[in-house]
Amino acid sequence: MKLTLDLVPSTSFYQNARSVLTKSEWKKIRDKVVESCGNKCEICNIYYDNLDCHEVWEYKNKIQKLVKLIGLCKDCHQVKHFGLAEINGKRKEALSHLMKVNKISKKQAEDYIIKQFNIWKQRSLKKWTLDISLLNDI
């Protein structure tokens, strides 16, 4: 699957790279990420004037580790944060984009979403320690 959901555990809401950086520090990092991908979404590979910077996390041994930053279009980024899309009334759009990018049926997409929310529920039972040491390299 090319486009995946990245559901942050509820116990880690608002714990991210942006929360520990100033706005100007985050902007510098975001600009560097967008420049490195040539303003093309790193998932759907379409050029956009304005990309988002998405944090990719790994969850192991109660450590939420930042492993990568990628440039995403608004639609792909919305799918990554599918729970937020649902809260914002954008579920239909996010589901449609997931199906289109991954060339999968609605049933396949819905099954995948259920699986990812089950993983999210399990992760949300734990308290995670944030590791953003990747930012030291940037």
Side-chain angles (χ1 to χ4, degrees):
M1 189 165 291
K2 186 176 179 180
L3 177 55
T4 59
L5 276 63
D6 288 343
L7 304 173
V8 175
S10 61
T11 50
S12 294
F13 284 174
Y14 310 110
Q15 290 186 5
N16 53 42
R18 291 179 77 170
S19 68
V20 298
L21 297 171
T22 66
K23 279 187 174 187
S24 65
E25 288 171 330
W26 178 252
K27 184 181 177 332
K28 285 179 190 174
I29 289 171
R30 181 210 159 276
D31 290 349
K32 193 179 265 193
V33 168
V34 169
E35 182 182 322
S36 73
C37 64
N39 277 71
K40 279 189 177 181
C41 176
E42 294 190 54
I43 293 176
C44 67
N45 205 33
I46 296 173
Y47 179 87
Y48 290 89
D49 286 332
N50 188 19
L51 292 179
D52 293 338
C53 182
H54 177 70
E55 302 165 16
V56 178
W57 300 97
E58 175 183 271
Y59 299 91
K60 285 185 187 172
N61 303 319
K62 295 187 181 180
I63 306 287
Q64 175 185 341
K65 183 176 183 178
L66 181 63
V67 294
K68 187 164 55 167
L69 297 168
I70 58 175
L72 296 181
C73 70
K74 303 277 185 226
D75 292 336
C76 286
H77 203 194
Q78 181 169 257
V79 172
K80 290 288 190 183
H81 297 288
F82 201 88
L84 185 59
E86 288 184 322
I87 290 168
N88 292 332
K90 301 286 187 178
R91 185 186 201 284
K92 184 179 176 183
E93 294 88 342
L95 176 63
S96 176
H97 192 69
L98 176 66
M99 292 165 46
K100 181 177 100 179
V101 171
N102 289 334
K103 297 179 175 80
I104 59 175
S105 70
K106 184 174 183 178
K107 171 139 179 41
Q108 289 171 310
E110 293 285 7
D111 288 347
Y112 171 71
I113 291 165
I114 290 168
K115 180 181 174 190
Q116 293 308 302
F117 270 96
N118 286 334
I119 292 169
W120 172 80
K121 285 177 190 172
Q122 290 302 308
R123 287 182 178 158
S124 293
L125 296 173
K126 300 176 185 172
K127 176 87 171 129
W128 297 89
T129 301
L130 196 64
D131 176 356
I132 56 168
S133 56
L134 175 78
L135 296 178
N136 296 333
D137 299 335
I138 299 171

